[in-house]
Amino acid sequence: MTAAILFGSLAGFLIFNVPVGIAIGMACMLTIMTFGTVSGLYISQTLVSATDSFPIMAIPLFILAGDLMGAGGVSRRILDVAQAFFGRITGGLAIVTVVVCMFFAAVSGSGPATVAAVGSMVVPSMIRAGYSKSFVLALLATAGSIGVIIPPSIPMVLYGVSTGTSISSLFLAGAGPGILIGLVLIVYVYFYSKKMGWSGDPTPFNGARAAKVTWEAKWALLNPFIILGGIYAGVFTPTEAAAVAAVYAFICGVFIYRDLKPNEIFKVISGSCVTIGTVMVILGCASTFARILTIEQIPGMIADAMLTISDNPIFVLIIINALLLIVGCVMDTTPAILVLAPILYPVATSLGVDPVHFGIIMVVNLAIGFITPPLGINLFVAARIGDTTLSQVIKGIVPFVLAMILSLLIITYVPAVSMTPLHLMGR
């Protein structure tokens, strides 16, 4: 009955378009008032205690770092390098878009931030080159979802905090799946561009020009190596890496590239604060939700129920993938992880699935939610950048969703894609 009230009221609030964070908090309050599971003060206490965490500090810092990089010219210089090396291939601009999104993912940790930063530069150029608008925006939305898979990744931080899994191990495991998805997208856009007659840049390759733009972008290209190299070398923790990323992005934008003007700094920081505030409210309320589930032993009951259906890992992972794909359509990544990770984690680990591998499966599933209606946040961001309707973006999204699901199946049933880097480093 507790689970029915908790999940039923949450679904009801979401149907009536109550903001996600508030909906979760109200569902918790209604459950507490009905059953007296814990004190009414528990929600306010958890709002503070859940966010008063050193690992959680990585989230606002990575959000700020991504915004500073987008405004400070880092993404534009990465685009110039990608264009110099990949622009002449069939569908060159489309391939460049995927490559830039993959690289920007390695410094932002956010899907929507990747779409916004890269889209403002590539969309006008691709449309002028003759690419169809629906294809361009669908590609941008999909490639942007890699932002939460290639480390650093905000959802991986949330999963690590929720389940006690090593965040640095999750970051290490995310590189392979992110690259795999990027390669699948590149293969698709190459053959589709060939079919549509979208050729690359006819200008012959110029080694001197490529060397020049690479040298000009050296500080931008160095960024992910500093962040990820520092984490894996044990120089700093993921949270400290987020602080380094934010400071480095500020220095690049203000003092090196000088694209971030003094009068724009406050605007960038205030925009980040709005995003951070929203995420923190969701995080605090979702932590209360998860703790009520734990007190009532609901995760264990759900795990037992799922295992009565089958104890075959292949079949159970299909059920979990299907569930997460559906949830990703109607719930944002942050609350989805905070609510579902404590429930599904015991199911997966009881079947012998590595906690790190399962974390990657969960993040990739919910990354697909960025491009599936009705919630698909990347679709909305892409539509805004393209100054068009959501239906125009959705028109071209189906092949990309199928490509993402194909990648998900490979990641789910070939653990080596995720786990090989960990094994090589002896973890």
Side-chain angles (χ1 to χ4, degrees), residues 12 63 158 164 198 201 263 306 312 368:
I63 291 172
L158 293 170
W198 296 329
D201 186 350
N263 61 337
M306 292 185 72
N312 185 323
I368 297 174

Side-chain angles (χ1 to χ4, degrees), residues 27-337:
C28 292
M29 180 60 75
L30 183 61
T31 304
I32 290 171
M33 292 172 62
T34 304
F35 298 102
T37 305
V38 290
S39 166
L41 295 174
Y42 193 70
I43 293 180
S44 57
Q45 291 170 344
T46 307
L47 280 170
V48 176
S49 62
T51 54
D52 184 18
S53 162
F54 184 72
I56 289 295
M57 286 175 61
I59 296 173
L61 289 168
F62 275 129
I63 291 172
L64 176 60
D67 289 345
L68 287 171
M69 288 168 193
V74 172
S75 51
R76 179 167 60 82
R77 284 163 176 82
I78 295 172
L79 174 65
D80 291 340
V81 175
Q83 178 66 22
F85 285 96
F86 300 101
R88 287 155 193 81
I89 304 171
T90 298
L93 280 174
I95 293 173
V96 165
T97 299
V98 177
V99 172
V100 174
C101 284
M102 291 172 67
F103 204 95
F104 194 80
V107 292
S108 73
S110 166
T114 302
V115 174
V118 177
S120 58
M121 298 177 296
V122 301
V123 169
S125 300
M126 291 184 71
I127 291 175
R128 282 197 302 270
Y131 291 82
S132 70
K133 201 168 195 177
S134 60
F135 172 84
V136 170
L137 298 179
L139 170 64
L140 174 65
T142 307
S145 67
I146 301 174
V148 298
I149 300 169
I150 291 181
S153 163
I154 292 171
M156 288 181 193
V157 173
L158 293 170
Y159 175 85
V161 171
S162 299
T163 63
T165 306
S166 166
I167 295 173
S168 60
S169 294
L170 288 165
F171 281 4
L172 199 58
I179 293 170
L180 170 68
I181 292 171
L183 291 175
V184 170
L185 292 178
I186 287 172
V187 170
Y188 170 72
V189 300
Y190 172 80
F191 285 105
Y192 187 76
S193 297
K194 196 168 187 177
K195 174 184 174 183
M196 300 300 292
W198 296 329
S199 58
D201 186 350
T203 308
F205 178 76
N206 186 321
R209 168 65 180 161
K212 181 181 178 183
V213 296
T214 303
W215 179 254
E216 290 175 350
K218 60 183 178 296
W219 299 109
L221 297 173
L222 192 60
N223 197 342
F225 294 101
I226 292 174
I227 298 168
L228 300 177
I231 294 173
Y232 303 145
V235 177
F236 37 67
T237 66
T239 301
E240 292 164 345
V244 170
V247 172
Y248 188 85
F250 180 83
I251 292 172
C252 286
V254 176
F255 299 108
I256 298 177
Y257 296 135
R258 300 182 181 178
D259 284 6
L260 186 59
K261 307 302 179 186
N263 61 337
E264 297 174 342
I265 295 173
F266 177 77
K267 181 181 177 182
V268 173
I269 294 176
S270 62
S272 298
C273 287
V274 171
T275 305
I276 291 165
T278 303
V279 170
M280 288 301 168
V281 170
I282 294 173
L283 195 154
C285 292
S287 295
T288 307
F289 192 97
R291 291 181 187 183
I292 292 175
L293 290 176
T294 303
I295 290 169
E296 294 292 332
Q297 299 181 342
I298 294 172
M301 289 187 285
I302 293 175
D304 291 341
M306 292 185 72
L307 292 174
T308 58
I309 299 173
S310 173
D311 59 359
N312 185 323
I314 294 176
F315 184 71
V316 173
L317 284 174
I318 288 175
I319 296 174
I320 291 175
N321 279 336
L323 171 64
L324 290 172
L325 288 173
I326 294 169
V327 169
C329 293
V330 296
M331 187 179 287
D332 190 31
T333 306
T334 299
I337 287 177

